[in-house]
Amino acid sequence: MSSVHNSSNSGFTLVEVLVATGLFGLLTAAVAIAAMAFLKSAQQTNLRITRDQIVTQLKMTALNKKAILLSIKKPENVALYNCVCGVGTCANVQQPYLAFTLYGTNGNIESPLYYDSSGSPCDPTSPQCVVRVKTSFFAQCKPDLASVNQNPPLTCNGTPAEFVSIVYTVDENPAAVSGQSVRLKPVSGPIYIQTVDMDPGVCL
């Protein structure tokens, strides 16, 4: 009389364990990649919002007559003073544009300046200081009505420029974001100011 012995295996085989481990590893990697992509997207969105807020503030300050009056009278902005007031030498649309320090109505410098991702001024050597703001200017001399084509002369010839343009650039701080994956698209543009609209007291 023969007996049949039926045996059933309990637990998992080595192959099953390896397959499960591999699938778990792939799932973990996929989740990590998705989380990194989400974090990068959130960082870029936050930086864009901060950049746009800074640009808006720059425009408001540059169009504020009190702020420009304060800025023009600073020693480091003597080149702009010369163009607005018609003293010294002022070249027509000089290239490269001349440096300009923009002061707010509270007397604080608004450009050149560095900001962190939340829009607070910061030390440019800090890794968190990711946004850079720069300003420069050029002047457009008045047309030479005595010439045939009436083009502006090469210099304003001791007369106030017809207008000045403050050029702003907001981009990433290369010292802080070097080697990082988060990138901030630069934004720049001109802000035109007619010299006839300036406060007459600016040249006193």
Side-chain angles (χ1 to χ4, degrees):
M1 182 177 177
S2 62
S3 62
V4 178
H5 178 69
N6 293 326
S7 63
S8 61
N9 295 328
S10 61
F12 299 98
T13 66
L14 178 60
V15 173
E16 290 172 331
V17 171
L18 290 175
V19 170
T21 302
L23 290 175
F24 179 76
L26 289 175
L27 180 61
T28 301
V31 171
I33 292 173
M36 290 176 60
F38 176 80
L39 179 60
K40 178 181 177 182
S41 177
Q43 289 175 331
Q44 290 177 326
T45 299
N46 189 41
L47 279 177
R48 285 196 297 269
I49 292 173
T50 297
R51 177 201 62 196
D52 293 344
Q53 290 174 338
I54 292 172
V55 169
T56 299
Q57 180 61 38
L58 278 174
K59 290 180 178 179
M60 291 176 60
T61 302
L63 292 173
N64 186 303
K65 292 182 179 180
K66 181 180 178 182
I68 293 300
L69 175 63
L70 180 64
S71 300
I72 287 178
K73 291 196 170 184
K74 295 294 183 178
E76 64 268 36
N77 290 326
V78 63
L80 179 60
Y81 178 91
N82 290 345
C83 289
V84 170
C85 298
V87 297
T89 301
C90 178
N92 184 60
V93 194
Q94 180 167 335
Q95 292 278 4
Y97 301 149
L98 299 177
F100 171 65
T101 301
L102 178 64
Y103 286 80
T105 55
N106 57 3
N108 294 332
I109 293 177
E110 292 197 10
S111 175
L113 201 59
Y114 294 81
Y115 296 88
D116 60 22
S117 59
S118 65
S120 298
C122 55
D123 180 354
T125 62
S126 169
Q128 285 74 39
C129 205
V130 292
V131 181
R132 175 178 62 177
V133 179
K134 299 182 294 183
T135 42
S136 57
F137 86 94
F138 68 85
Q140 172 72 63
C141 300
K142 295 179 180 178
D144 184 2
L145 301 180
S147 65
V148 176
N149 52 24
Q150 297 187 355
N151 288 335
L154 296 179
T155 64
C156 294
N157 296 323
T159 60
E162 184 174 25
F163 67 84
V164 295
S165 178
I166 297 172
V167 182
Y168 65 85
T169 300
V170 182
D171 59 5
E172 60 187 10
N173 177 10
V177 300
S178 178
Q180 297 185 20
S181 58
V182 176
R183 308 297 291 180
L184 181 66
K185 182 180 179 181
V187 172
S188 62
I191 303 170
Y192 296 100
I193 302 173
Q194 297 287 336
T195 54
V196 294
D197 294 334
M198 299 295 298
D199 188 326
V202 69
C203 298
L204 299 179

